[in-house]
Amino acid sequence: MSKSPLRYGIVIPTYGLSHKRLEFALKSIRRFTQGYEYSILVSDDCTPDHAERPWQEHVSRKHGAEFRRTDHWGYYWENFHTAGMEMAGKCDVIVFFADDCLASLGW
């Protein structure tokens, strides 16, 4: 049984050499959301390092997150807006979570 009847959508905008940060952030989310219904969308803001992109996607999918990439570097607000709109039909509550943050008990 779920702890909450609400469905949560967690959006993680990311950029640059972020796969290590994403790994820690996603592990912390999974650890502290057991029993809740949620989905995660990692949205890359057009990282220019082509070698980093596959790592971002790999880490995201490894932790059950959707991954998408935008084509407009520097429009961070657009990344938030577009990712939020994608999640809007899938959940009741949208949480924006930075890729360099860690979830903790009761977050």
Side-chain angles (χ1 to χ4, degrees):
M1 177 114 193
S2 180
K3 293 180 181 180
S4 170
L6 298 174
R7 295 172 301 153
Y8 295 89
I10 303 167
V11 177
I12 305 176
T14 193
Y15 178 79
L17 300 173
S18 65
H19 76 273
K20 290 182 182 176
R21 292 190 310 264
L22 281 171
E23 181 83 36
F24 288 113
L26 290 164
K27 279 183 181 178
S28 73
I29 290 169
R30 288 182 62 197
R31 181 175 181 200
F32 293 107
T33 53
Q34 294 176 4
Y36 290 91
E37 187 178 337
Y38 67 95
S39 58
I40 300 172
L41 172 62
V42 175
S43 182
D44 173 54
D45 190 24
C46 197
T47 293
D49 183 349
H50 296 287
E52 177 66 12
R53 292 176 183 177
W55 285 106
Q56 291 173 330
E57 187 168 0
H58 169 74
V59 168
S60 299
R61 296 196 191 286
K62 175 176 136 181
H63 291 282
E66 285 183 57
F67 180 82
R68 73 169 184 81
R69 183 174 296 114
T70 62
D71 296 326
H72 303 96
W73 180 81
Y75 296 102
Y76 207 64
W77 62 269
E78 181 182 344
N79 197 0
F80 272 87
H81 175 78
T82 304
M85 292 301 290
E86 285 181 31
M87 289 298 251
K90 301 177 185 178
C91 58
D92 302 306
V93 176
I94 299 173
V95 177
F96 288 92
F97 196 89
D99 67 1
D100 61 351
C101 290
L102 298 175
S104 60
L105 187 61
W107 73 285

